[in-house]
Amino acid sequence: MKRLAVFASGTGTNFVAIAKACAEGVLDARVVLMVCDRPGAAVIDRALEMGVETFVFSPRDYASKADFEAQIVRLLDERKVDLVCLAGYMRIVGETLLGAYEGKIINIHPSLLPSFKGAHAVEDAVAYGVKVYGITIHWVNADLDGGRIIAQRAFPYEGSDPAEVHRIGQKIEHELYVETIKKLLCEL
Ligand code: GAR
């Protein structure tokens, strides 16, 4: 059984989808760690409810990104993590974590990359007048939202309400993330 870590900063609906798929045997894997950089984020209670170990930290308690990433790498190493799934982890991965885990880190992003990179992808796409939206899962490298694409799914939307795009997109995210992890697990 493969060992996953999920990193999140917010609500954690993708974390729940992944952890549930593991618990129900849809994925032959276990979430052995949930890493969160925002004390108080809703995802923390969700992890506790699901019995998943958490590492919650505040970046400002560390002298540098290299310092907190070194701590994360120690935790991932100790738990023998096979795959790191970023799920709304709103922080750029630095060279310490990439140095140790590049090729084993994937991210989900709410746009059809390479369009609309960054933290406000849906809002930016709506402002642009986009008519076809989508979700991307990609490998993480040193370029923000720039790693090789693993999976994408598009959906049409003609309105102008970012909240509605998020709602439609999130349902797709949960399915696509689990499907994609399932495929990757066979290759690990
Ligand atoms: C997801 O929609 C994910 O695509 C997005 O954060 C949300 C987290 O939701 N990620 C990014 O924007 C990364 N640039 P969740 O906490 O409910 O899983």
Side-chain angles (χ1 to χ4, degrees):
M1 189 174 284
K2 299 294 181 190
R3 301 166 69 81
L4 309 179
V6 178
F7 288 27
S9 304
T11 318
T13 63
N14 281 283
F15 160 77
V16 170
I18 296 166
K20 203 161 158 272
C22 291
E24 292 173 352
V26 174
L27 291 176
D28 187 22
R30 193 156 79 85
V31 180
V32 294
L33 188 66
M34 194 285 291
V35 172
C36 178
D37 63 332
R38 286 199 193 145
V43 67
I44 299 164
D45 282 342
R46 293 182 160 186
L48 295 175
E49 281 160 21
M50 298 186 81
V52 172
E53 185 188 2
T54 61
F55 172 59
V56 181
F57 70 100
S58 190
R60 63 172 160 252
D61 293 341
Y62 293 80
S64 66
K65 179 178 284 206
D67 280 7
F68 66 71
E69 287 197 342
Q71 168 79 15
I72 292 172
V73 168
R74 271 194 294 277
L75 295 172
L76 297 176
D77 286 349
E78 281 167 13
R79 284 154 191 75
K80 300 189 184 339
V81 166
D82 298 295
L83 185 68
V84 174
C85 306
L86 307 187
Y89 181 67
M90 303 308 272
R91 193 162 288 284
I92 295 169
V93 174
E95 59 190 25
T96 304
L97 184 49
L98 277 176
Y101 278 85
E102 189 161 3
K104 292 185 179 177
I105 311 177
I106 60 175
N107 180 44
I108 190 158
H109 183 78
S111 78
L112 292 172
L113 289 173
S115 294
F116 306 110
K117 298 179 177 185
H120 309 286
V122 168
E123 290 71 16
D124 293 347
V126 169
Y128 214 88
V130 157
K131 305 292 180 250
V132 178
Y133 290 79
I135 304 299
T136 302
I137 295 169
H138 63 93
W139 294 106
V140 173
N141 65 11
D143 305 325
L144 175 66
D145 298 326
R148 192 170 172 75
I149 291 168
I150 306 165
Q152 286 187 310
R153 193 155 295 164
F155 58 95
Y157 176 72
E158 300 261 342
S160 57
D161 178 8
E164 203 174 348
V165 179
H166 276 293
R167 260 196 307 281
I168 301 167
Q170 281 227 312
K171 192 168 177 303
I172 295 171
E173 287 192 352
H174 303 157
E175 291 168 6
L176 189 63
Y177 219 172
V178 170
E179 277 173 32
T180 304
I181 292 168
K182 195 177 174 103
K183 283 185 195 149
L184 289 175
L185 290 178
C186 300
E187 296 163 17
L188 287 175

